[in-house]
Amino acid sequence: MTTSYTTPSGKDTMPWWKYKMVWLVIGGPLVVVVASFVTLGLAIRYPDPVLESVVVATPDAAHQPAMQARNHAATGGVK
């Protein structure tokens, strides 16, 4: 016994890969996955250099406005 599957309108359906909407749905996440592997490869191949930290023991004149604003924000304006 042979069974034939047709749509209610009587037309044969296309395979899933022939619908453009399927490739739109699959293509978006696929592009993101490929881009993440490219980013990982770049991060492994060209790592960021380690920067030496600079510790300022005494605040000089260049840092005074920042220190004053920080203290003002921390105390709520009390001098």
Side-chain angles (χ1 to χ4, degrees):
M1 178 187 225
T2 306
T3 305
S4 173
Y5 295 103
T6 59
T7 60
S9 64
K11 296 181 182 178
D12 289 333
T13 60
M14 294 187 305
W16 66 269
W17 62 84
K18 290 191 177 183
Y19 289 98
K20 293 180 182 178
M21 188 61 148
V22 171
W23 292 110
L24 184 65
V25 170
I26 293 172
L30 185 63
V31 168
V32 172
V33 169
V34 170
S36 67
F37 281 114
V38 169
T39 303
L40 177 65
L42 288 171
I44 291 172
R45 186 170 179 164
Y46 304 108
D48 289 337
V50 177
L51 300 177
E52 297 294 327
S53 61
V54 178
V55 179
V56 178
T58 57
D60 56 352
H63 292 115
Q64 275 303 350
M67 295 290 283
Q68 192 175 20
R70 184 201 67 181
N71 292 339
H72 178 77
T75 60
V78 178
K79 286 191 173 191

